[in-house]
Amino acid sequence: PTSPNYLFIPHNNTLRPEYDAGWSIREVMPTNSVGIVTSRDGLAVHFSKQAAKELLTKLVTLPQETAREELQIGEDSQDWTLSAVREDLRESKLREDCFVKLAYRPFDVRWTFYTGTAGGFHGRPRREVMQHMFRNNCALLTSRMTKGEDFAHTFATTFVSEKILLSPKTSNNCFHFPLYLYRNEDSLSIGGQRLPNFAPQFLKELCTKLRLPSAGKTGIPECVTPEDIFHYAYAVLHSPG
């Protein structure tokens, strides 16, 4: 075994140098995180916007312990308390624009209510990444590891995503890589200038490999679009070879 991989079973390392010469997707697209953790899917994930509205209205209008019992919420946890959830919902005033679509499982898009407040309605909303998904955007979804499964853990979405979207049976974490970053990061409102979520050093090396000059301030190779790079990465991750 060699550092940093002290493996417990023999591995064929013939192609290891070629593999190590490549780029990690987390280095290529440095703004990323796992998907959101709702802490209570039964409250936070819904098949329709209307169903979400009806339940959340009950949640904020009923007395707290009545809501806990009637909605079968259960006890509080370390990163989720009913009092904090109700406060978060009341501060948001159940705004229409906070009802958003959620990539919950592959080809299973549902509805949730997104405030971006950690420890609020969602236990871990991953605002630093998910805030970029409320404009014109798409995201690459993949897993860093698998548990007893062959790797087939790659997807794409235009919505915020849930933490175990790609593998609910084994709970492999699903990492979310937005293609674009919007500069008005302190706001969830629509608008703002966007930049591609690619590391400058990666783009510099890509220009060298393609023998193309960079175009503009983004560093993207001339005649190449951010979508081209995104699509190529998605294809590579889907390749059985």
Side-chain angles (χ1 to χ4, degrees):
T2 56
S3 176
N5 303 304
Y6 295 102
L7 305 173
F8 289 95
I9 58 175
H11 277 250
N12 183 345
N13 290 318
T14 304
L15 299 176
R16 188 77 199 187
E18 180 182 348
Y19 176 83
D20 288 341
W23 281 78
S24 161
I25 188 63
R26 296 191 76 189
E27 295 173 344
V28 172
M29 304 179 79
T31 296
N32 64 80
S33 74
V34 296
I36 68 172
V37 177
T38 71
S39 297
R40 292 292 189 283
D41 283 10
L43 287 180
V45 182
H46 302 272
F47 285 104
S48 71
K49 185 177 182 179
Q50 185 59 36
K53 285 183 176 181
E54 291 174 0
L55 188 143
L56 266 58
T57 299
K58 283 186 178 181
L59 189 57
V60 298
T61 56
L62 289 173
Q64 180 164 305
E65 294 309 312
T66 302
R68 189 189 299 275
E69 182 177 354
E70 184 172 321
L71 301 177
Q72 300 180 330
I73 293 171
E75 297 301 316
D76 294 345
S77 62
Q78 182 177 357
D79 62 353
W80 193 98
T81 65
L82 183 54
S83 60
V85 167
R86 284 158 58 90
E87 181 181 355
D88 189 27
L89 293 175
R90 285 169 175 159
E91 286 183 356
S92 72
K93 299 179 180 179
L94 296 184
R95 294 199 329 263
E96 191 73 19
D97 60 334
C98 288
F99 288 94
V100 300
K101 290 184 176 180
L102 168 72
Y104 185 60
R105 299 290 182 264
F107 305 106
D108 183 0
V109 177
R110 303 195 191 182
W111 286 87
T112 192
F113 188 81
Y114 192 90
T115 67
T117 302
F121 183 60
H122 292 146
R124 299 176 184 176
R126 314 297 182 189
R127 181 185 176 116
E128 70 279 5
V129 170
M130 299 304 169
Q131 64 186 342
H132 302 290
M133 299 305 298
F134 299 103
R135 296 89 166 169
N136 182 21
N137 212 346
C138 60
L140 179 67
L141 308 178
T142 191
S143 177
R144 294 180 63 188
M145 60 175 289
T146 59
K147 302 174 184 177
E149 302 172 306
D150 291 333
F151 180 80
H153 300 65
T154 306
F155 206 63
T157 186
T158 56
F159 310 119
V160 298
S161 66
E162 198 268 347
K163 183 180 178 181
I164 60 170
L165 180 155
L166 293 174
S167 189
K169 289 185 178 180
T170 57
S171 300
N172 292 335
N173 288 345
C174 171
F175 280 77
H176 189 110
F177 299 84
L179 176 57
Y180 288 105
L181 307 178
Y182 284 81
R183 287 198 170 184
N184 57 335
E185 295 181 0
D186 292 332
S187 171
L188 291 176
S189 62
I190 296 174
Q193 183 179 355
R194 67 181 189 176
L195 295 171
N197 180 25
F198 295 120
Q201 189 59 37
F202 166 74
L203 293 176
K204 183 178 179 180
E205 184 171 323
L206 184 61
C207 288
T208 301
K209 295 289 187 183
L210 296 178
R211 298 181 181 179
L212 292 171
S214 62
K217 296 180 180 180
T218 63
I220 298 286
E222 195 172 77
C223 302
V224 175
T225 68
E227 286 77 10
D228 291 334
I229 300 172
F230 182 95
H231 296 158
Y232 184 81
Y234 186 74
V236 168
L237 291 170
H238 265 292
S239 173

